Amino acid sequence: MRVVFAGTPEVAVPALDAIAASPHELVGVVTRPDAPSGRGRKLTPSPVAQRAEELGVPVLKPVHPRESEFQAALRALEPDCCPVVAYGALIPRSALDIPRHGWVNLHFSLLPEWRGAAPVQHSIWAGDEFTGATTFLIEEGLDSGPTYGVMTERIRPTDTAGDLLGRLAEGGSSLLVATLDGIADGSIEARPQPTDGITLAPKISVEDARVDWTEPAVGVDRRIRACTPGPGAWTTLDGERVKLGAVAIEESGDEPLAPGAIRVGKNHVLVGTASTPVRLGEVKAFGKKQMGAADWARGVRLPETARFE
């Protein structure tokens, strides 16, 4: 088939590469407009745009896909199908109708679970044992279209959202190409999603990522892993924000600590929760570089009464 790929962040690049290497003809790429990046806030192409340019594929960057100029350009490319991974904008009906096989999305959950912008984060936060990826035909509803195929992935006890998303992006790229193959030869058809078991995965805000030390250790651990690398879990010490990397749950035999209380050992830092303490991993204080918790604690010379709020 002639395909136009739509995607924006780094997580979409494996799928773009897989499609470019497939028998399908990649005739164009749609991505979000260049955005400010870095300290200088210089306008920078998206990771997908950069990779498409390396591949020599034409790139379309509409502010919104409802623009008539964009839709005319897309129509001129005569796509049979538009595969999508994390594009970042809602596709209006007028654009959905352009390719004869529609827009096929790779979504990082086992639909109908975790419809929305942050399925991987919510899956970790909820303590799911398994997740996966699903290909489906995009409709105007939120991730509600009929599905083509799925892959499953076990969530490891130490997985951050970044770890898990990386594996799903690689495995999902093969699923997306297989779905395009099946659509092209007529061997698969989309099936309606179940009407039960629907859960939602809205975008996680910076405020959501604030650690609540009155939760049990397992809740603290899941929140931090779900928010790593973005938006980044954080807490405050003496009113200053401190970013936290993944933590380890200590054994129940350790002496308990009050929620948020900090205990500094020779080579470790423990923080109290509503159950057992957690051992801090990486810490990044405001205006400082990220470092191991023990190095951070030595540098700030914490008093015995120090606690995170």
Side-chain angles (χ1 to χ4, degrees):
M1 294 189 296
R2 290 174 60 86
V3 300
V4 172
F5 178 81
T8 298
E10 189 68 38
V11 72
V13 172
L16 173 59
D17 284 338
I19 291 169
S22 77
H24 304 286
E25 185 182 1
L26 180 63
V27 296
V29 164
V30 181
T31 190
R32 301 293 290 152
D34 298 356
S37 178
R39 290 187 176 181
R41 308 306 290 163
K42 180 182 177 182
L43 284 179
T44 304
S46 73
V48 163
Q50 294 178 45
R51 182 63 182 134
E53 288 164 5
E54 292 170 359
L55 293 169
V57 179
V59 180
L60 304 177
K61 302 178 182 180
V63 174
H64 194 283
R66 65 172 170 263
E67 295 171 4
S68 58
E69 295 87 352
F70 160 71
Q71 293 187 20
L74 179 62
R75 197 173 286 108
L77 292 172
E78 300 181 332
D80 296 308
C81 188
C82 291
V84 185
V85 182
Y87 170 48
L90 293 176
I91 313 298
R93 172 52 58 189
S94 54
L96 290 176
D97 290 339
I98 291 174
R100 63 191 181 99
H101 290 296
W103 296 59
V104 176
N105 191 46
L106 174 66
H107 183 76
F108 297 119
S109 81
L110 299 174
L111 291 172
E113 293 181 349
W114 305 126
R115 293 177 178 176
V120 173
Q121 293 92 327
H122 281 275
S123 188
I124 289 175
W125 204 333
D128 293 347
E129 292 185 26
F130 287 90
T131 186
T134 306
T135 49
F136 71 94
L137 182 66
I138 295 180
E139 298 179 336
E140 290 182 277
L142 177 64
D143 300 334
S144 60
T147 63
Y148 288 105
V150 299
M151 61 159 283
T152 59
E153 179 72 26
R154 180 183 291 275
I155 300 177
R156 300 168 187 171
T158 59
D159 270 341
T160 64
D163 297 332
L164 182 55
L165 192 54
R167 297 202 305 276
L168 291 173
E170 292 294 336
S173 64
S174 298
L175 172 64
L176 184 57
V177 171
T179 298
L180 295 177
D181 293 344
I183 292 171
D185 65 20
S187 62
I188 62 172
E189 61 181 35
R191 299 181 179 276
Q193 291 186 34
T195 56
D196 57 347
I198 296 171
T199 51
L200 300 180
K203 182 178 179 179
I204 293 175
S205 69
V206 172
E207 192 55 40
D208 293 331
R210 183 173 188 169
V211 177
D212 179 359
W213 299 105
T214 66
E215 287 187 319
V218 66
V220 170
D221 169 58
R222 288 175 183 171
R223 182 194 300 258
I224 292 174
R225 289 190 292 115
C227 295
T228 301
W234 61 281
T235 187
T236 59
L237 178 67
D238 297 330
E240 292 287 339
R241 185 172 295 196
V242 178
K243 279 200 167 186
L244 302 176
V247 299
I249 300 174
E250 291 294 287
E251 297 297 328
S252 57
D254 289 295
E255 184 180 342
L257 277 171
I262 303 170
R263 180 184 296 147
V264 180
K266 184 176 181 181
N267 295 305
H268 66 270
V269 178
L270 302 181
V271 184
T273 72
S275 58
T276 58
V278 295
R279 182 186 296 249
L280 297 186
E282 297 290 308
V283 175
K284 186 182 184 306
F286 181 77
K288 304 290 185 180
K289 292 182 178 180
Q290 184 170 299
M291 64 185 73
D295 293 333
W296 165 76
R298 280 191 290 270
V300 296
R301 298 181 180 180
L302 295 172
E304 290 188 7
T305 57
R307 65 185 301 122
F308 287 135
E309 300 291 344

